[in-house]
Amino acid sequence: MKRTAEIVLTVIGIVLFGLPIILSGILLNTKDNPQVRQELESFMNSPEMQMEGQMNINQIVDAMGSFAMFVLIASLIAIGLGILAIVFLKGDKKPKAAGIILIITAVIFTFATFGMGLFGAAAFLIAGIVALVRKKKSTVEDGGTIDY
């Protein structure tokens, strides 16, 4: 049985999980940019932003870098699991395992990427459900059934 629909949806999900990687890369590049640091300092020193327990600029930049790295790693893991699911779907080897992997990946990595991987997760979820629900076709020949 061909699993073309599931494979195509999984590839779409992999491509869409590439978007958080691109955004994280941009954020990691701007983290070390002195011009961005200067803009952030001027923004934090403005009268509207004066508050108690003011965070240090270095703490903000470090938190931004940690956030970007976490999203980057989470997206790479989701892409790896998507590739594993494609391997399981190729040749109809383990469609149930692929479906479970895709559904669990969709749920976990929607939250792990803080919603940035929502569209990729939606594609994974649809592919996972289709992989679990689709049954093998059987035909009747000479009074018996043959499974393909």
Side-chain angles (χ1 to χ4, degrees):
M1 171 188 239
K2 297 223 175 195
R3 297 280 182 173
T4 307
E6 294 94 323
I7 292 172
V8 168
L9 282 168
T10 305
V11 169
I12 291 171
I14 288 171
V15 169
L16 290 174
F17 266 114
L19 295 177
I21 291 175
I22 293 169
L23 293 174
S24 296
I26 292 170
L27 197 58
L28 284 171
N29 282 335
T30 59
K31 177 186 97 136
D32 297 327
N33 190 341
Q35 195 173 23
V36 172
R37 187 178 293 257
Q38 185 180 18
E39 288 290 325
L40 190 58
E41 261 181 37
S42 65
F43 176 72
M44 292 299 289
N45 291 332
S46 66
E48 303 91 38
M49 289 302 295
Q50 295 299 324
M51 59 185 145
E52 285 185 37
Q54 183 174 346
M55 287 184 71
N56 187 353
I57 299 300
N58 291 330
Q59 291 173 331
I60 294 172
V61 171
D62 288 342
M64 186 173 72
S66 297
F67 169 77
M69 189 58 72
F70 182 80
V71 170
L72 180 83
I73 292 170
S75 297
L76 287 173
I77 292 170
I79 288 172
L81 289 171
I83 292 169
L84 177 67
I86 288 175
V87 169
F88 285 168
L89 288 169
K90 270 291 204 208
D92 206 21
K93 293 176 195 155
K94 299 178 183 179
K96 299 290 183 197
I100 292 169
I101 289 171
L102 288 170
I103 291 171
I104 291 172
T105 301
V107 172
I108 291 174
F109 289 99
T110 297
F111 297 111
T113 59
F114 299 98
M116 285 193 272
L118 182 65
F119 297 115
F124 275 11
L125 184 65
I126 294 168
I129 291 170
V130 171
L132 287 176
V133 172
R134 190 183 278 187
K135 303 282 185 200
K136 290 186 177 184
K137 292 181 184 176
S138 60
T139 60
V140 177
E141 289 183 9
D142 300 325
T145 61
I146 300 173
D147 290 331
Y148 289 102

